[in-house]
Amino acid sequence: MASIFSFLSTISLLLMFVFFLSLSLADSSPIFNTPETLCDSTPYPPFCKSSLPYNKPGTVQDYARISIANSLTNARDFLSLVQHYSSLPSTSHESTNILALEDCQFLAQLNIDSFSYALQTVNRSNDANLPGSLAVDLLTLFSATLTNLETCLESLQVSDSSILNNLTAPLSNGTQYCSTTLALFCHAWVPHPEKGRLLAEGKDIFPSMKNGARKSFRLRTYESIMGRKLLQGFEDGVSVRQMVVVNQNGTGDFANITDAVNAASNNTASSDGYFVIYVVAGVYNEYVFIPKNKKYLMMIGDGINQTIITGNRSVVDGWTTFNSFTFAVVGQGFVAVNITFQNTAGAIKHQAVAVRNGADLSTFYNCSFEGYQDTLYTHSLRQFYRDCEIYGTIDYIFGNAAVVLQNCKIYSRVPLDDQYNAVTAQDRTDPNQNTGTSIQNCSILASAELAASNGTTKSYLGRPWKEYSRTVVMQSFIDSLIDPSGWSPWSGDFALATLYYAEFNNTGPGSDTSNRVTWDGYHLINATDAANFTVSNFTQGDIWLPATGVPYFGGLL
């Protein structure tokens, strides 16, 4: 009898093994879909179905690759169209049209670069074998392609109506391509993007550096600037490939910042270290642009209100918002320390940007941003601001990056008589974009002139520039300048149900939420939800921030 039970037990074990093996094989087999089933989960189902091979079975990864290739072709076609209009005789369109077309040409080329890189990357990978950190990198790029098209449209909207009419349909077509690609990519490779916890895995971008060295750099370098001991500070910490000095008196390597930027090598890797530009105290009246090929550039000044970069371009004076900047950066891995950035156009000139940032993995530490409307343009990709000061009136922190501001002081100023203050205007346009503005452990305050005014100016935490606007204010001090309702609508009920505005564990007289707006998109969140908008989870900062030497905390306080 015992032998019979032993035999039956062995048979049972074998049957169980075969059963679980069959499950394992089934799980590892590719799941085939058709556009009919896949496209219903994208923002534009009819367009998605028309752009993919009809009724041809394939994996979601197959269709994602096709969609990326389609988006690349569309981006190239759009660039050709913009170049056609740009080539027309200048007498046929005004200067504002020229600037708008220049914006679109620049942004279209960025999209071509992003889709080209993404297509090469996914074609090299196995269907289900895209590392988590790389998946987030591509998700960030795809999110930015939508932002770039939206920015092009915004520039064209202030240009000649005939050019806008001719490019509106191609822009709409491009937006649907980008949105479809973003959605299919999320289904194919990105786990649960809506939860914000996208850092599945990752490698340090400066793998040769040790944590102790990073701490040494943080403590020594930035505190030794006034003593001119830069090299001593860099020895133990950040990898530096070259250092130059900018001094207006002619004693440095360069007399202006732009020449120093141009001297940096092109397209360096993160492992090559930083090209460091030390900008000696002074007022630099120049418009600085750091292009995409100037990567891992670090710019260090002598301190807020010591090293000042200033300009006064504005929309009223004929510039597009995108090109009204005093300082703009696109090159990946940029770091700025101890610098004041100004746009002095004033409230009367409306949109006037001090800094426009479209650089992935970029950091500003102990910097000041001074302007009125549209001061800090956090345009796209992943950004971090620590111990900074931001001054403005309307929408003065705006854009569609995945950005965390930490330990910053945010000052509302006196606007024009018929205006109110809005600290943020976040412009997320697609539910699959991994973007938003996170304000953590900051102080939201009235500037000295606003505090001394008659007190009739209303101030709000933000308003929804675009349909899926997303802003979180957490663990921050909110002073009494903020209206009890907290947030302002943009126009009527636009975006009030689709936006995501949230507050968590704030303090101060303006933090009372008992009279806040009652929109469907407004939330009082708990610690679990707030953790999604921390440096570690929202910007994957644990991978790239330690190498900068800039202090930060990755989670909640």
Side-chain angles (χ1 to χ4, degrees):
M1 183 68 69
S3 61
I4 294 176
F5 279 118
S6 176
F7 172 77
L8 291 175
S9 177
T10 302
I11 293 296
S12 298
L13 288 172
L14 287 172
L15 289 173
M16 289 178 64
F17 173 78
V18 171
F19 173 73
F20 283 112
L21 179 62
S22 67
L23 285 180
S24 175
L25 291 172
D27 287 344
S28 63
S29 300
I31 299 174
F32 290 96
N33 299 272
T34 65
E36 193 69 29
T37 56
L38 281 177
C39 289
D40 286 338
S41 60
T42 68
Y44 302 98
F47 178 88
C48 174
K49 293 171 186 177
S50 68
S51 67
L52 297 176
Y54 184 74
N55 214 24
K56 180 181 179 182
T59 66
V60 63
Q61 289 82 11
D62 292 333
Y63 284 116
R65 289 187 177 94
I66 293 171
S67 187
I68 294 169
N70 288 344
S71 294
L72 175 58
T73 299
N74 176 265
R76 287 171 172 160
D77 291 344
F78 182 70
L79 177 60
S80 296
L81 186 61
V82 171
Q83 289 171 333
H84 164 71
Y85 284 106
S86 298
S87 68
L88 297 177
S90 59
T91 54
S92 66
H93 44 85
E94 299 175 355
S95 60
T96 53
N97 303 340
I98 297 173
L99 290 171
L101 289 169
E102 287 177 354
D103 291 352
C104 291
Q105 185 168 326
F106 173 79
L107 294 161
Q109 185 60 59
L110 289 181
N111 281 5
I112 291 171
D113 295 343
S114 294
F115 286 124
S116 297
Y117 171 76
L119 190 59
Q120 293 170 9
T121 301
V122 298
N123 283 342
R124 287 196 302 264
S125 69
N126 296 325
D127 275 355
N129 188 29
L130 196 63
S133 59
L134 186 56
V136 179
D137 289 345
L138 296 185
L139 175 62
T140 300
L141 290 179
F142 292 141
S143 296
T145 61
L146 278 167
T147 303
N148 291 339
L149 290 177
E150 188 70 20
T151 303
C152 168
L153 176 61
E154 290 155 7
S155 294
L156 289 169
Q157 285 171 338
V158 297
S159 69
D160 182 83
S161 59
S162 63
I163 297 177
L164 174 61
N165 291 339
N166 289 329
L167 290 178
T168 296
L171 273 170
S172 176
N173 202 41
T175 295
Q176 292 179 90
Y177 270 117
C178 291
S179 181
T180 298
T181 294
L182 177 61
L184 292 177
F185 181 79
C186 287
H187 287 300
W189 283 292
V190 180
H192 308 300
E194 71 281 1
K195 294 183 179 180
R197 297 186 180 276
L198 299 174
L199 184 57
E201 56 188 87
K203 295 188 295 183
D204 197 326
I205 61 172
F206 284 89
S208 62
M209 295 163 52
K210 304 300 182 182
N211 287 335
R214 292 172 185 144
K215 293 178 181 178
S216 174
F217 173 71
R218 181 164 65 242
L219 293 173
R220 296 175 60 193
T221 301
Y222 298 133
E223 294 174 0
S224 67
I225 298 302
M226 296 301 290
R228 311 293 192 262
K229 297 179 181 178
L230 267 68
L231 287 177
Q232 174 184 329
F234 284 117
E235 285 173 357
D236 300 329
V238 166
S239 174
V240 176
R241 65 179 184 269
Q242 187 178 351
M243 186 186 74
V244 298
V245 177
V246 176
N247 196 330
Q248 291 174 318
N249 68 9
T251 61
D253 299 291
F254 301 96
N256 64 72
I257 298 168
T258 298
D259 286 347
V261 171
N262 292 338
S265 300
N266 293 334
N267 296 313
T268 56
S270 58
S271 56
D272 296 328
Y274 287 103
F275 181 88
V276 178
I277 301 174
Y278 169 42
V279 186
V280 176
V283 179
Y284 294 81
N285 288 281
E286 60 176 303
Y287 297 96
V288 179
F289 175 66
I290 300 175
K292 63 184 179 183
N293 61 343
K294 304 296 183 181
K295 299 179 179 180
Y296 298 98
L297 189 153
M298 179 180 288
M299 189 174 294
I300 304 177
D302 272 324
I304 291 175
N305 296 327
Q306 298 298 313
T307 297
I308 301 171
I309 304 173
T310 186
N312 61 3
R313 289 173 177 168
S314 69
V315 168
V316 169
D317 287 337
W319 298 89
T320 64
T321 300
F322 188 71
N323 261 322
S324 68
F325 63 83
T326 298
F327 187 98
V329 55
V330 183
Q332 179 174 305
F334 176 77
V335 180
V337 183
N338 296 344
I339 299 173
T340 290
F341 304 91
Q342 295 178 338
N343 189 313
T344 62
I348 195 68
K349 294 299 181 72
H350 299 285
Q351 295 96 331
V353 174
V355 167
R356 189 192 83 211
N357 186 1
D360 198 20
L361 314 179
S362 55
T363 308
F364 287 78
Y365 174 45
N366 195 38
C367 290
S368 181
F369 307 86
E370 299 177 5
Y372 286 85
Q373 183 171 349
D374 291 2
T375 303
L376 177 57
Y377 196 171
T378 57
H379 181 263
S380 53
L381 305 171
R382 290 166 289 190
Q383 307 176 16
F384 179 64
Y385 299 78
R386 169 79 180 208
D387 296 343
C388 292
E389 299 174 359
I390 305 104
Y391 295 82
T393 54
I394 299 174
D395 309 336
Y396 60 98
I397 302 171
F398 75 113
N400 196 24
V403 54
V404 176
L405 298 100
Q406 195 175 87
N407 289 24
C408 295
K409 293 182 178 179
I410 300 170
Y411 293 101
S412 290
R413 307 176 86 170
V414 178
L416 299 178
D417 288 342
D418 60 344
Q419 295 177 336
Y420 61 84
N421 289 327
V423 174
T424 65
Q426 207 283 329
D427 66 319
R428 184 166 168 257
T429 60
D430 190 287
N432 290 308
Q433 287 177 305
N434 64 341
T435 55
T437 299
S438 175
I439 298 174
Q440 183 185 22
N441 197 39
C442 295
S443 296
I444 299 173
L445 308 163
S447 65
E449 65 268 27
L450 180 62
S453 68
N454 58 19
T456 60
T457 299
K458 286 186 175 292
S459 297
Y460 301 92
L461 295 172
R463 58 180 187 155
W465 186 13
K466 299 295 166 62
E467 188 174 3
Y468 293 94
S469 181
R470 181 159 66 176
T471 302
V472 177
V473 181
M474 57 186 185
Q475 299 181 314
S476 293
F477 176 85
I478 306 175
D479 213 343
S480 58
L481 78 155
I482 296 300
D483 188 84
S485 61
W487 307 82
S488 172
W490 186 271
S491 178
D493 62 356
F494 170 74
L496 302 188
T498 52
L499 61 79
Y500 184 91
Y501 285 170
E503 297 181 56
F504 169 71
N505 203 23
N506 297 308
T507 60
S511 67
D512 183 358
T513 60
S514 59
N515 291 307
R516 286 295 196 251
V517 295
T518 57
W519 308 334
D520 289 345
Y522 172 73
H523 308 273
L524 294 175
I525 57 177
N526 57 28
T528 300
D529 292 332
N532 293 328
F533 300 96
T534 57
V535 168
S536 297
N537 292 325
F538 198 49
T539 69
Q540 298 76 53
D542 292 330
I543 295 178
W544 54 277
L545 274 173
T548 69
V550 173
Y552 77 96
F553 47 89
L556 297 173
L557 291 171

